[in-house]
Amino acid sequence: MEKLPAQMTVVAISKPGGPEVLVPEQRALPQPGPDEILVKVQAAGVNRPDVAQRSGAYPPPPGASDLPGLEIAGEVVELGAAVKLWQRGDKVCALANGGGYAEYCAVPETQALPVPRGLSMAEAASLPETFFTVWGNVYDRGRLAPGETLLVQGGSSGIGVTAIQMAAATGNRVFATAGSDEKVAACVRLGAEKAFNYKTQDWVAEARAATGGKGVNMILDMVGGDYVPRELKCLAEEGRLVFIAYLRGPKTELDIDAVMRRRLTITGSTLRPRSAEFKGDLARNLREKIWPLIEAGRIKPQVYKTFPLEQAADAHGLMESSQHIGKIVLTV
């Protein structure tokens, strides 16, 4: 068994601010708790919550690492005293509670999944945050049933490319919005029946026309703000609107009459503060229902660009430019 070093390189947030506040530093290795595994990180995904944390808007929950990074892939090198699911040497990807921008990261054993056959570590690291989020919100909370229609706002984002592929692979008609013709084409290539350029098209009218005037059964929304009144018009009777972020702000006007008459459901969730038990349930569902689709090639990770860990600031700059289609990943 290799001897673990005392110190590791991490990328820390020196103070709230722009990408330039992400700085490499040396820290002691984290010690895994009784139910945790220590992973030697080979790749770590970059996500919007990392950007929010860096800017000071999304503090880590109590007990979590102050380092950014919510998803990793690598090799299990140390086991907590009560760990039952993993052994040293196992290759895993995992949803972290923080601390992913580092050479080593401790994660609850239930939040880890085997690296799917045929995937690189960078591809595996691009999975957990978006796949856990999409499963928890589209299937558990939004109750998307086979044959129903789903509209994904921001279809070319990391969440978007995951939601489009997952819903298409589980027998749903999928529509998406995106901000350029190139991104619209990417959404269709990934399995959307139609995608709409929100800068040049009326996506409400387009989605209603594509569903024969009925509207869509569910909308996965990370935009919020002034999109909400339009989304209510876009939903079918008994439709569900599920929020996972609000890039255009948390406040909106609500037509309560429309909600009542068409029996609409408005809900949403955040993942990071939820318990290890809750995240473990999501992991079991993904392993049983979605991992076989990945291994069969029906769902493919979409890694847009990788950066070395020390260049995390450049990765954040790219994410904030919104030029990417799919995921941005740090390699260690």
Side-chain angles (χ1 to χ4, degrees):
M1 194 177 85
E2 69 170 302
K3 189 171 184 307
L4 298 178
Q7 297 271 303
M8 63 173 180
T9 299
V10 307
V11 169
I13 301 169
S14 56
K15 60 177 187 280
E20 71 283 352
V21 305
L22 294 172
V23 290
E25 61 179 54
Q26 293 294 304
R27 287 204 186 172
L29 266 63
Q31 296 299 309
D35 301 313
E36 292 183 326
I37 52 176
L38 183 66
V39 178
K40 184 177 184 180
V41 178
Q42 289 172 261
V46 177
N47 293 284
R48 288 275 173 194
D50 305 343
V51 173
Q53 180 178 337
R54 187 207 73 219
S55 66
Y58 193 47
S65 168
D66 65 318
L67 299 174
L70 298 174
E71 59 185 350
I72 57 166
E75 182 181 336
V76 178
V77 292
E78 195 68 68
L79 306 173
V83 167
K84 300 183 183 71
L85 301 174
W86 305 102
Q87 297 179 326
R88 288 183 184 85
D90 284 345
K91 303 287 194 289
V92 298
C93 55
L95 184 70
N97 299 328
Y101 290 16
E103 291 181 308
Y104 293 84
C105 181
V107 295
E109 65 164 340
T110 53
Q111 293 173 209
L113 285 156
V115 170
R117 280 193 305 276
L119 262 53
S120 69
M121 282 294 182
E123 288 173 323
S126 79
L127 301 176
E129 169 71 9
T130 57
F131 277 69
F132 277 69
T133 298
V134 170
W135 185 272
N137 286 283
V138 172
Y139 296 91
D140 286 353
R141 188 158 288 278
R143 304 183 312 283
L144 186 70
E148 285 193 321
T149 49
L150 170 69
L151 172 63
V152 179
Q153 302 283 25
S156 62
S157 66
I159 292 281
V161 300
T162 299
I164 290 170
Q165 291 194 85
M166 210 188 279
T170 55
N172 296 95
R173 294 177 67 200
V174 188
F175 306 103
T177 62
S180 72
D181 291 344
E182 181 198 4
K183 289 179 175 180
V184 161
C187 292
V188 173
R189 196 167 61 243
L190 290 168
E193 187 178 309
K194 287 188 170 159
F196 318 117
N197 184 335
Y198 61 77
K199 292 179 179 169
T200 59
Q201 289 175 282
D202 178 348
W203 50 266
V204 176
E206 296 282 354
R208 290 194 71 86
T211 54
K214 286 199 199 101
V216 296
N217 300 115
M218 186 184 153
I219 299 174
L220 181 65
D221 182 33
M222 55 197 90
V223 184
D226 58 358
Y227 264 45
V228 176
R230 286 183 271 172
E231 288 172 328
L232 296 189
K233 291 187 179 125
C234 198
L235 283 171
E237 291 196 349
E238 308 279 358
R240 288 90 67 198
L241 173 57
V242 183
F243 294 112
I244 53 168
Y246 42 84
L247 295 174
R248 290 172 78 105
K251 302 281 172 60
T252 190
E253 279 192 13
L254 183 64
D255 181 352
I256 295 170
D257 183 61
V259 174
M260 291 164 60
R261 274 187 298 104
R262 302 198 348 262
R263 301 173 303 285
L264 305 179
T265 299
I266 300 173
T267 183
S269 74
T270 56
L271 182 58
R272 193 175 186 182
R274 300 300 293 273
S275 69
E277 290 75 21
F278 176 83
K279 293 172 186 173
D281 285 341
L282 295 179
R284 278 190 292 277
N285 274 314
L286 289 169
R287 187 166 185 172
E288 180 188 331
K289 298 173 177 118
I290 300 299
W291 253 226
L293 297 174
I294 298 173
E295 294 188 339
R298 291 180 58 198
I299 298 175
K300 292 187 170 73
Q302 304 294 314
V303 176
Y304 181 75
K305 192 169 183 186
T306 63
F307 293 84
L309 176 66
E310 290 80 1
Q311 290 173 25
D314 295 334
H316 275 227
L318 173 60
M319 172 155 276
E320 289 186 286
S321 78
S322 289
Q323 290 170 346
H324 58 292
I325 296 171
K327 292 291 296 238
I328 301 165
V329 176
L330 304 174
T331 56
V332 183

